Amino acid sequence: MSEQTKNFWAGVRAEIPLLIGVFPFGMIYGALALNAGLSKPAAQMMSSMVFAGSAQFITTQLVRESAPGFVIVLTIAVVNLRHMLYSASLAPYLASISTRWKILLSYLLTDEAYAPSIVNYEKEGVTPFNHWFLFGAGLALWTIWQMSTALGIFLGAAIPESWSLDFALPLTFIAMVVPVLKNRPAIAAALSAGVVALVAYSLPYKLGLIVAALVGIAVGTLLERKGDSHF
Amino acid sequence: MNIWLVMLFGGLLTFGMRFSLIYLFGRFEVPETMRKALHYVPPAVLSAIIFPELFLRDEVLSLSFENTRLLAGLVAVLVAWFSKNTLVTILAGMLALFLLQIFAGMSP
């Protein structure tokens, strides 16, 4: 087996445990996107055009609330800013590959592809064909994400209105936010953003969300600077 | 709002951020303040979405026991805290809402 195929399959194998968690998530996304009023093609295509789980859930929520397009795009940008950190952290290991490879791997660079890849790269160091590892992990995730979205859209169409399926969206966000409330600045960021979101809810264009998010981020960052990060 | 344009621009921005520092390796570093601020994006953005969903009914603050979504949401927070499991949290919250709605429907 060549170094390329060996690295590729090592990436796929490292991704498998994550795929088990991703599959139901993709299904829930597909069902909720349909429920929020997106067309089947739009719900499916978001999984390849944006290809970022949390941003897709948030877009679904904002479509449901009829937020204007620029607010949704702005929110996607804020939510996905963390990918710049992944990009920075993988960059030294991908310095020597062609621009075409860099484009392909950047497209596939999600939280779930980043995690096993950086672990592998830190262990193995810079090796000639190591980009195949990220390619394997990323492609495996991409494939499962498209399939689970499709299945979710298919099954979502059969779920009756009376099930209050729309409530699964805030529940998904609760499941995402609670584990990150690990210290006082994070809790303060969450509470201040939440309260501002309530107060600023009637702002035009759903701008209350952006204002609330910025206040929360500022509160967390300032508290951390004061050294208040212990519990 | 055109959802296809939103997805196109949202997708391009996301790709741009993923590509940025892989492409600019050695020519640009992420400033320390931004690195810190990014930790607080998830709690801030997610709470800014969750709070109105739970606390507002028809855009008005509702803190009564009739607000079944708030109660079910609090159940989900507890389940998330102890289980740390996304699917379990969603299922528990949906079940809580379902039961609370039956209960609210029965009360006068």
Side-chain angles (χ1 to χ4, degrees):
Chain A
M1 204 169 13
S2 71
E3 280 301 305
Q4 286 97 317
T5 12
K6 216 154 74 186
N7 279 328
F8 176 82
W9 287 109
V12 173
R13 271 199 308 277
E15 191 63 33
I16 288 172
L18 292 155
L19 296 180
I20 296 165
V22 159
F23 200 93
F25 214 48
M27 283 179 60
I28 295 170
Y29 158 72
L32 291 182
L34 209 61
N35 183 268
L38 273 95
S39 69
K40 286 181 186 178
Q44 181 68 52
M45 283 303 287
M46 203 198 305
S47 280
S48 48
M49 285 172 77
V50 181
F51 189 39
S54 41
Q56 289 180 228
F57 277 92
I58 289 169
T59 302
T60 301
Q61 171 74 22
L62 293 179
V63 167
R64 171 188 296 287
E65 295 180 22
S66 334
F70 80 94
V71 170
I72 305 184
V73 172
L74 206 59
T75 310
I76 294 176
V78 173
V79 169
N80 282 340
L81 263 178
R82 67 181 187 287
H83 288 104
M84 285 183 76
L85 291 183
Y86 302 161
S87 189
S89 120
L90 289 178
Y93 301 100
L94 303 172
S96 63
I97 59 176
S98 68
T99 305
R100 211 180 287 179
W101 263 112
K102 285 179 181 171
I103 291 174
L104 173 65
L105 294 180
S106 299
Y107 169 67
L108 293 173
L109 180 55
T110 54
D111 307 66
E112 290 84 358
Y114 168 76
S117 299
I118 192 66
V119 170
N120 175 269
Y121 292 168
E122 282 178 353
K123 199 174 68 190
E124 303 290 329
V126 181
T127 57
F129 298 107
N130 63 355
H131 53 291
W132 284 83
F133 186 97
L134 174 56
F135 182 52
L139 190 65
L141 180 78
W142 187 88
T143 310
I144 288 298
W145 189 241
Q146 307 308 319
M147 283 168 51
S148 57
T149 300
L151 194 59
I153 292 172
F154 177 70
L155 295 175
I159 296 175
E161 286 276 330
S162 59
W163 276 24
S164 309
L165 193 64
D166 63 299
F167 193 56
L169 264 174
L171 290 175
T172 310
F173 298 135
I174 288 173
M176 288 174 176
V177 79
V178 169
V180 302
L181 302 177
K182 279 183 288 203
N183 50 45
R184 261 193 255 167
I187 294 168
L191 289 179
S192 55
V195 171
V196 172
L198 293 180
V199 177
Y201 192 74
S202 51
L203 281 186
Y205 310 121
K206 300 273 168 202
L207 280 171
L209 170 68
I210 306 279
V211 174
L214 293 178
V215 169
I217 293 165
V219 166
T221 314
L222 289 173
L223 281 181
E224 183 181 322
R225 193 171 296 166
K226 280 173 66 188
D228 186 12
S229 59
H230 58 279
F231 225 136
Chain B
M1 181 203 63
N2 184 325
I3 185 64
W4 292 95
L5 273 182
V6 168
M7 296 194 311
L8 180 67
F9 284 115
L12 283 175
L13 275 170
T14 303
F15 170 77
M17 290 184 286
R18 289 169 173 168
F19 185 59
S20 59
L21 296 168
I22 290 179
Y23 186 68
L24 290 173
F25 176 59
R27 280 171 284 172
F28 178 79
E29 297 279 329
V30 182
E32 191 55 33
T33 314
M34 184 181 158
R35 205 178 271 273
K36 274 194 181 147
L38 281 172
H39 287 298
Y40 301 103
V41 172
V45 173
L46 295 172
S47 302
I49 293 174
I50 295 166
F51 272 52
E53 281 289 319
L54 298 187
F55 287 98
L56 303 184
R57 291 277 74 86
D58 300 320
E59 306 201 6
V60 179
L61 191 67
S62 167
L63 293 173
S64 73
F65 281 107
E66 280 163 31
N67 187 352
T68 47
R69 291 194 171 212
L70 176 56
L71 295 175
L74 293 176
V75 170
V77 170
L78 286 176
V79 173
W81 184 266
F82 288 107
S83 75
K84 304 199 188 317
N85 183 313
T86 311
L87 279 182
V88 171
T89 303
I90 296 172
L91 290 176
M94 290 302 286
L95 183 67
L97 182 71
F98 180 68
L99 294 175
L100 283 162
Q101 278 173 344
I102 290 177
F103 188 68
M106 286 191 312
S107 61

